[in-house]
Amino acid sequence: MSMKRSVALFGAVTAALTLAACGADAGSGDAAGPPRPGGTLRYGLSIAPTCSDPAQAGTNQTLYVTRQIVDSLTDQDPATGAIVPWLAQSWQVSPDAKTFTFRLRPGVSFSDGTPLTATSVQKNFDAIVHTLTGAKAPLAASYLAGYTGTTVLDPLTARVDFDRPNAQFLQAVSTPQLGLLADATTAKPADRRCLGDDIGSGPFTYAEYRQGASVTLAKRPGYAWGSAAFGHHGEAYLDRIDFRVVPESGVRAGSLGSGQLDAVSDALPQDIPQIEAAGGKVATTSNPGVPFGIQPNLTRGPLRDPAVRAALLPAIDRRELVDTVLGPQFRAATGSLASKTPAYVDLSASLGYDADAARRQLDRAGWVPGGDGIRVKDGARLSFGLTFNHAFAGNQAILELVQQQLRKVGVDLRLDPVPDAEYTARENSHDYDALYYNITRADGDILRTTFGLEGRNGNVRGPIPDLDEALAGELRTVDPAARARLLDRAQRLVLDNGLWIPTIELSQAIGVAPTVSDIKFEASARLQFFDTWLHRS
């Protein structure tokens, strides 16, 4: 199968299923004249990066950093969703989607001077499967499910084989989690890959990495192999990017207005007037993937009862969450996939707010109001804990409002905020009543990653034959329309079985000073700084 045919099969999935453009310029766009090289962009992150290794990166704030130092075999055009060349200049896919053969671009090198070869592809994928494992790199590992190995056919040709069809793989290799790193990095154990000395082939390199405080990236001299989706050829325009961790949104906005920062993450509604008063703007785009929501542990407490899980769906007023906490740049969740995701199905009819319906559902299931208003059944209170972190600045306020909404129908939601490391540990050990998070990816296969028995399985569930068949089916189906039908079925079954209680869709809201142009969103709503430039007077 030629590259042209591969793009038709896999890229058309996103185009045909209406992936809305999310690669718009997030800079000011008001500068006269051509882009000017040089300068340092000062960027305010809302939380500290968790790991400098792209394969292990989990939060958006981390991926804003790691995306810049690593290139991928393919890229995904943010405007159309088509899969386009990057480090691979062409590829072939077997009819059964078990074998992917990549022809690499010649002349590419990692920042330590070593060349990119087919052996590099082999060592990167082998390391994810055998060294990092699913606990360290759950997304990367899920993309390589069924991986049997990479064969070096010649120095620039790598064949990647799976023991089962893997229809999502061309899109997966466009993600930073499967970006390619030098041998000096892939040979390290997982923990050593988080210390800021990772070596990629990307347009920027790590100049300084201070865990929990700041990261400085430097332009890679001689970079000449950018993605076909990039806006220009050659080196990046910026000389450096200084990422600084500024947890308070008001401080980030104030620093942007005073000229101490050039761009900031998670600009909240109350920040917008201050940013705009300084001549800046807030650029937004919705994240594809699984929207923010509650994932119940089906083995603990009252969430074992499917009637309770079903009652939670109408008990949450999602529009109130958006209007009260977030503002118009955000959307209420309308299904188990976010609206920008290929194969998304609008299930808002199942997610309308109806507190009376929630009460009736709980009444029928035998959960009766107690003296304090919280329902009880067989001596047990309808109470559960919700474990979350502050990966998104609005999480605490959103969940406090959800807590109030659920109490109105007799449900006691206990909020359990934890640091990132503890969150990961408890997620891996299934030590929670329920989790709250989102996962970003511009492919409907994120449902398999999130809800599949061989994926994260945060529900700690057993077999659900209809759902398991749909998730297995989409993975082996290369026809876009047939794959979309299977993903449609899977989305409905996730809600029908109470595996996800959606709340809001995550949007990136980036405050940008008037001196910055062309910060761009890539297909998965992460930032791309290759085309960014400064026009300070």
Side-chain angles (χ1 to χ4, degrees):
M1 186 182 295
S2 67
M3 181 187 75
K4 182 176 180 181
R5 178 61 176 154
S6 299
V7 170
L9 277 179
F10 290 86
V13 174
T14 51
L17 295 170
T18 333
L19 173 64
C22 53
D25 176 9
S28 70
D30 297 325
R36 306 173 190 174
T40 298
L41 180 82
R42 301 159 301 174
Y43 190 95
L45 297 168
S46 58
I47 61 171
T50 55
C51 176
S52 61
D53 175 15
Q56 299 182 67
T59 68
N60 284 313
Q61 306 304 298
T62 304
L63 288 162
Y64 288 169
V65 176
T66 61
R67 173 76 279 182
Q68 317 313 317
I69 66 108
V70 67
D71 296 326
S72 299
L73 285 171
T74 66
D75 201 2
Q76 188 171 13
D77 188 296
T80 67
I83 304 300
V84 299
W86 197 346
L87 294 180
Q89 62 182 14
S90 62
W91 50 82
Q92 295 177 323
V93 182
S94 65
D96 61 4
K98 290 183 179 180
T99 298
F100 298 75
T101 304
F102 297 96
R103 181 66 181 174
L104 302 180
R105 191 169 179 166
V108 177
S109 65
F110 296 103
S111 59
D112 63 355
T114 58
L116 169 74
T117 67
T119 303
S120 307
V121 178
Q122 179 187 61
K123 289 184 176 181
N124 271 268
F125 294 165
D126 284 356
I128 289 169
V129 172
H130 302 303
T131 304
L132 299 184
T133 72
K136 293 289 186 181
L139 283 180
S142 77
Y143 301 159
L144 288 165
Y147 174 78
T148 59
T150 299
T151 302
V152 177
L153 301 181
D154 64 49
L156 291 178
T157 308
R159 189 187 73 216
V160 184
D161 292 307
F162 297 87
D163 65 10
R164 69 200 74 169
N166 196 351
Q168 55 86 46
F169 189 60
L170 276 187
Q171 194 278 335
V173 295
S174 75
T175 67
Q177 284 87 358
L178 295 189
L180 300 184
L181 295 161
D183 291 357
T185 299
T186 59
K188 293 178 180 179
D191 292 346
R192 279 286 304 144
R193 291 174 57 160
C194 288
L195 304 181
D197 53 2
D198 310 84
I199 299 167
S201 65
F204 293 91
T205 63
Y206 284 121
E208 184 182 40
Y209 194 93
R210 297 175 58 214
Q211 187 66 48
S214 65
V215 179
T216 299
L217 304 182
K219 177 166 68 176
R220 168 84 189 276
Y223 182 86
W225 43 84
S227 158
F230 286 176
H232 78 280
H233 301 290
E235 299 176 359
Y237 293 128
L238 296 170
D239 288 335
R240 296 170 77 86
I241 308 173
D242 284 345
F243 292 96
R244 308 171 188 179
V245 180
V246 186
E248 300 82 7
S249 66
V251 175
R252 289 195 301 276
S255 297
L256 188 74
S258 66
Q260 295 173 288
L261 293 174
D262 302 303
V264 298
S265 291
D266 291 345
L268 298 180
Q270 61 266 29
D271 303 324
I272 294 175
Q274 185 175 12
I275 292 171
E276 292 180 342
K281 74 172 188 178
V282 175
T284 63
T285 192
S286 295
N287 285 48
V290 176
F292 267 113
I294 298 169
Q295 185 167 33
N297 181 340
L298 271 55
T299 68
R300 285 175 45 162
L303 293 175
R304 291 175 295 180
D305 185 344
V308 170
R309 303 197 301 272
L312 295 180
L313 292 174
I316 296 175
D317 186 344
R318 294 161 183 84
R319 174 48 52 192
E320 185 182 31
L321 299 180
V322 171
D323 292 345
T324 303
V325 179
L326 297 172
Q329 70 268 37
F330 288 83
R331 293 171 54 103
T334 52
S336 48
L337 284 179
S339 57
K340 285 275 185 82
T341 317
Y344 155 80
V345 176
D346 184 349
L347 301 178
S348 55
S350 300
L351 296 174
Y353 177 57
D354 190 339
D356 289 336
R359 294 185 187 100
R360 289 193 298 270
Q361 176 83 12
L362 294 171
D363 288 341
R364 288 193 297 269
W367 291 94
V368 298
D372 62 354
I374 301 303
R375 293 173 180 266
V376 294
K377 180 180 180 180
D378 299 329
R381 283 165 55 84
L382 210 176
S383 176
F384 66 92
L386 184 59
T387 302
F388 70 100
N389 62 17
H390 290 94
F392 171 53
N395 279 352
Q396 182 82 36
I398 289 167
L399 292 179
E400 287 174 351
L401 185 50
V402 170
Q403 185 181 49
Q404 296 171 28
Q405 293 175 350
L406 294 186
R407 190 170 187 87
K408 292 178 182 178
V409 302
V411 178
D412 175 35
L413 176 63
R414 306 187 313 274
L415 301 185
D416 183 19
V418 295
D420 290 337
E422 182 179 348
Y423 181 93
T424 300
R426 292 178 60 178
E427 178 184 28
N428 291 339
S429 64
H430 298 145
D431 181 20
Y432 51 82
D433 294 338
L435 295 174
Y436 185 76
Y437 64 96
N438 82 302
I439 302 183
T440 296
R441 188 184 177 194
D443 192 282
D445 183 66
I446 196 65
L447 291 171
R448 179 185 60 89
T449 299
T450 309
F451 304 107
L453 286 175
E454 295 182 359
R456 298 163 71 106
N457 191 16
N459 298 109
V460 202
R461 69 172 178 88
I464 302 175
D466 288 351
L467 176 60
D468 298 334
E469 290 169 11
L471 294 176
E474 67 85 11
L475 194 59
R476 62 176 177 259
T477 303
V478 296
D479 176 72
R483 188 167 183 245
R485 287 192 293 271
L486 288 163
L487 289 168
D488 178 318
R489 184 179 174 196
Q491 289 169 71
R492 297 176 190 275
L493 288 167
V494 165
L495 289 191
D496 290 347
N497 287 278
L499 303 184
W500 195 252
I501 315 300
T503 57
I504 58 103
E505 291 190 6
L506 178 64
S507 286
Q508 301 308 302
I510 309 300
V512 185
T515 53
V516 180
S517 280
D518 291 339
I519 292 179
K520 295 181 177 180
F521 296 111
E522 44 98 92
S524 290
R526 277 67 183 252
L527 292 179
Q528 185 262 90
F529 293 100
F530 176 76
D531 293 314
T532 305
W533 58 284
L534 302 174
H535 44 94
R536 296 190 181 97
S537 57

